[in-house]
Every structure is written in C-alpha cells, then in structure tokens.
C-alpha cells in the first residue's frame, strides 16, 4: 500500500462550493491574490494525451475539451517564436503547420508546450486570469516524484496560481463513481491502466500500465480500411477517429460476427467531402486490438491480461472486493459493446466471483468529474497547497498534502 486517498467523495456535489479558504494572515500571500481567490471558483484540469479537459470545480462536465496538439506554423520553423494554435484557433486556421503533441502515452514530454496550450485555454477560451484561481490538476497514476515537482513548478511559477492540488487520475476516476475501493480499468487516447484502489489507497506497485489506447485503435482501423482498398493517410486521422466512434463496436462473439452475411456487417459512413464509404468487418476487428495488441504490433499485454496480472498479485479478500467494483473509465471504454465483452471475459476468468462492471455514461470524462467532486468538498479545502507553503517548503508540501 503506497498512496493515501485523503477523503471520501461521498455526498460530493451537494457540498460543492468550489471556494478556497485562505491563509489570510500569511505574509507572502498577497492581498490581491487572497481577494481574487475568495471571489473565484477553483479550476479542474485533466491533461490527457488526446484532450485537455478544463472547467470549474462543482460543475458536472468539463466546459472546455481541447486537443493539446500544438501547431507551430511551418514558416516559423527554426525561430523561437511560439504561435499557439489550439482549440477554435486551430480548427479555423489555414496556416500550414506542424503538429506537436506535448503529452505522449499520458506523460508530458514537452512542458513548455503544455504550458502554452494551457495558457491559451485559460486566456483565450475560458477568459480567466490563472493567478486568481486555485487549480486541481490530475497527474498520471504512476507519475514520478520529479514529474509531480514539474507540475507544481508549472502551476506556481509558470501560472502564478495561488493554490494547487495534484491527484492521481485513477483516484479521481474512482471518485467519479462515488467509490473508495475499486479496480479502475482506464483506457484513454494514449495509455491504459488497471489500478486497484483499496479503501482509499491506490496500490501503485501492482498497478498495470500499457502504452496503447484509442489512438492505436484509430491507426489500426486505418490500416484495416486501407487493406480493404481505401487510401487514407495520417492527415485523415480525425475522420477515422470519428468513424471509429460512430460506427465501430466490440464484438461479444468474434466468430459469430465474422460469420454474419457481409451486408449485416456493413454500414455506410459519410466522409467530410460528402462521399460515402462502406465499412464492414473492420468495424469490430479494430476493437479487438485492445484485447490483442499484437494485432497492431505491440508486445504488451491486452487489457484483460493486464487485469488478470494485476489481480493475481492481490490476496483473496482484495480480489473479491476488486471484482465487485470494476469501474470502466476513459474514452476508449466507450466503444459500443466494450463493457459487455469485458464483463463476459472477466466472468470466464473468475467464474466463482461474479465480477460486477460499472460503466457510467460519463466515463469518458471520469478523471475530470472526480476532480470536480473532490475540489468542491468542504472537507477537501485544507488540502490545497498554497503558494506561500510552496515558496517556504518547495515540493515537499505537495507530497505531504496530495499523495
Ligand atoms: N464512443 C467511442 N467509441 C470508441 N472510442 C471512443 C469513443 N469515444 C471516445 N473514444 C476514444 O477515446 C479516446 C479519448 O479518451 P480520453 O479522453 O479518455 O483520453 P485522454 O484522457 O485524452 O488520453 P489518456 O488518458 O490516454 O492520456 C480517443 O481515442 C477517442 O477516439
Ligand atoms: Mg485520460
């Protein structure tokens, strides 16, 4: 047992206030900051590989869901000048640009770009002054101490935020279901996790992680479609992703679906140029990749195998508790039929334990929603790390109050 979850989120949104109590008498907290914080709601930010989700504590859904792909106009290559084209600007821009992803497989690989993208979201989209708001930020569940320090540095030194809290994504996902013990099975855009949380403690030493998720399914779907005679390229990934989300599904019985007459497998999908393509067995074959990543060339374990490996490291009591609370989280678990297939396969692996799978319709934003609940609890408010504490003690106060 490695990590403490400080609070139960039960009763969460009723308590929602979103206001942060203040260290009124401390010298280094400026009066302006204190006044501003009193009047503002805390922010909640989840920096995923595919989307940054931002909004205000106490809300039911993130107000801003923005691709973090940072585009540097091509004509600027070589210059140090940064041009942040994110969100609406990015969609509306016709400037030739090179896409840069600052988060890969859930891990920040380019802190400057993450900061630029967030700055853009705060200022251009949310129209807020970050120095006036406390922020609860999600961090990957197997995040290193150094990375936690980098998050704190960015928020306090880059954005001058008055107070912050960092929380593991698996914890937050679990809170979105109102649970304190669960097996969190999370698959997003670039990374998937199986994280056991027992009575509030995340068992990080047996948490399983694999570096594939929705993006890999999208690439695999493109490959399958091209093998069927199409000529999609990487520039059309957004279209393929849309096709995946609208037309694809996880088969409950692969052999049975494969033996269906072709017309029953097929649906038409309208491309952005108005033409239609017919998609057949690719619809369910692509979804197999989460169970057999070898299909797209990965040697890592499939999601079910990862779950089994994780559970095998738990004692019988914990296994029972975990199997009674399997929580599906992240966008890729939204694939139609995924929950049913996962349930079926898990029940075959553990026939005596009757696994119970929960799949909330909001699970795509489970991390963010859990953060929104946590940050708005009255009992949480002492766990904000204020800037004066950070200035005095450095990152140690983060580890004390957050993890
Ligand atoms: N209905 C759907 N069917 C299939 N896939 C879906 C569906 N809805 C969303 N997705 C996929 O979920 C992924 C995004 O999930 P999510 O927002 O949880 O990821 P993220 O938090 O940005 O990334 P990560 O957690 O991996 O760092 C995308 O690949 C998207 O295509
Ligand atoms: Mg995520």
């Amino acid at each position: 047992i490695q990590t403490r979850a400080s609070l139960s989120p039960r009763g969460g949104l009723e308590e929602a206030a979103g206001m942060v109590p203040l260290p009124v008498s401390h010298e280094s907290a400026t009066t302006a900051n204190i006044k501003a914080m009193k009047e503002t709601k805390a922010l909640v930010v989840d920096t995923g590989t595919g989307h940054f989700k931002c909004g205000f504590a106490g809300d039911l859904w993130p107000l801003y869901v923005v691709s973090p792909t940072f585009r540097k106009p091509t004509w600027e290559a070589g210059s140090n000048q940064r041009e942040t084209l994110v969100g609406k600007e990015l969609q509306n821009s016709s400037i030739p640009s090179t896409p840069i992803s600052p988060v890969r497989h859930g891990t920040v690989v380019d802190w400057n770009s993450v900061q630029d993208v967030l700055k853009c979201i705060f200022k251009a989209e949310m129209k807020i002054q970050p120095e006036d708001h406390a922020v609860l930020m999600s961090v990957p569940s197997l995040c290193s101490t150094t990375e936690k320090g980098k998050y704190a540095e960015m928020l306090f030194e880059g954005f001058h935020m008055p107070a912050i809290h960092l929380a593991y994504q698996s914890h937050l996902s679990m809170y979105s279901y109102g649970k304190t013990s669960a097996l969190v099975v999370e698959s997003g855009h670039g990374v998937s996790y199986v994280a056991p949380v027992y009575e509030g403690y995340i068992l990080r030493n047996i948490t399983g992680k694999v570096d594939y998720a929705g993006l890999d399914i999208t690439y695999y779907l493109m490959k399958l479609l091209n093998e069927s005679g199409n000529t999609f390229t990487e520039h059309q990934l957004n279209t393929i992703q849309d096709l995946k989300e609208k037309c694809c599904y996880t088969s409950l019985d692969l052999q049975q679906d494969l033996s269906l007459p072709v017309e029953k497998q097929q649906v038409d999908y309208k491309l952005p140029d108005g033409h239609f393509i017919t998609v057949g067995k690719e619809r369910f074959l692509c979804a197999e990749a989460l169970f057999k990543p070898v299909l797209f060339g990965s040697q890592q374990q499939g999601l079910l195998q990862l779950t089994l490996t994780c559970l095998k490291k738990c004692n019988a009591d914990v296994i029972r508790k975990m199997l009674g609370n399997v929580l599906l989280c992240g966008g890729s678990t939204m694939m139609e039929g995924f929950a049913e297939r996962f349930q079926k396969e898990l029940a075959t692996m553990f026939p005596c334990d009757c696994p119970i799978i929960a799949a909330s319709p909001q699970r795509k934003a489970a991390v963010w929603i859990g953060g929104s609940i946590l940050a708005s609890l009255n009992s949480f408010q002492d766990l904000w790390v204020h800037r004066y504490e950070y200035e005095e003690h450095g990152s140690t106060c983060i580890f004390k109050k957050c993890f």
Side-chain angles (χ1 to χ4, degrees), residues 230-279:
N230 296 285
T231 50
F232 290 111
T233 67
E234 278 201 6
H235 297 294
Q236 289 154 296
L237 265 193
N238 284 347
T239 303
I240 311 281
Q241 177 163 308
D242 186 64
L243 190 163
K244 173 187 79 174
E245 294 174 12
K246 294 197 172 121
C247 304
C248 296
Y249 67 94
T250 308
S251 172
L252 196 56
D253 183 333
L254 188 59
Q255 290 317 314
Q256 192 182 316
D257 281 355
L258 279 170
S259 62
L260 285 173
V262 174
E263 351 35 285
K264 289 228 160 156
Q265 293 174 349
Q266 288 177 336
V267 292
D268 288 337
Y269 174 82
K270 191 176 178 187
L271 296 167
D273 65 5
H275 287 93
F276 283 86
I277 57 161
T278 302
V279 193

Side-chain angles (χ1 to χ4, degrees), residues 170-171 174 180-184 195-203 322:
S170 304
H171 260 152
M174 182 184 72
T180 49
S181 288
L183 186 71
V184 179
V197 189
Y198 190 74
E199 294 182 356
Y201 289 88
I202 177 167
L203 311 182
M322 296 295 107

Side-chain angles (χ1 to χ4, degrees), residues 348-385:
T348 311
M349 285 172 171
F350 297 93
C352 306
D353 293 284
C354 299
I356 296 171
I357 309 244
S360 124
Q362 285 85 32
R363 63 190 182 278
K364 194 172 174 166
V367 172
W368 190 91
I369 293 169
S372 174
I373 292 172
L374 186 63
S376 55
L377 292 176
N378 286 333
S379 48
F380 169 82
Q381 304 307 319
D382 286 344
L383 295 178
W384 289 110
V385 178

Side-chain angles (χ1 to χ4, degrees), residues 125-139:
E125 310 248 346
M126 300 182 84
K127 304 200 188 321
I128 53 152
Q129 300 299 327
E131 57 274 23
D132 293 344
H133 293 261
V135 65
L136 182 148
M137 190 144 199
S138 77
V139 301

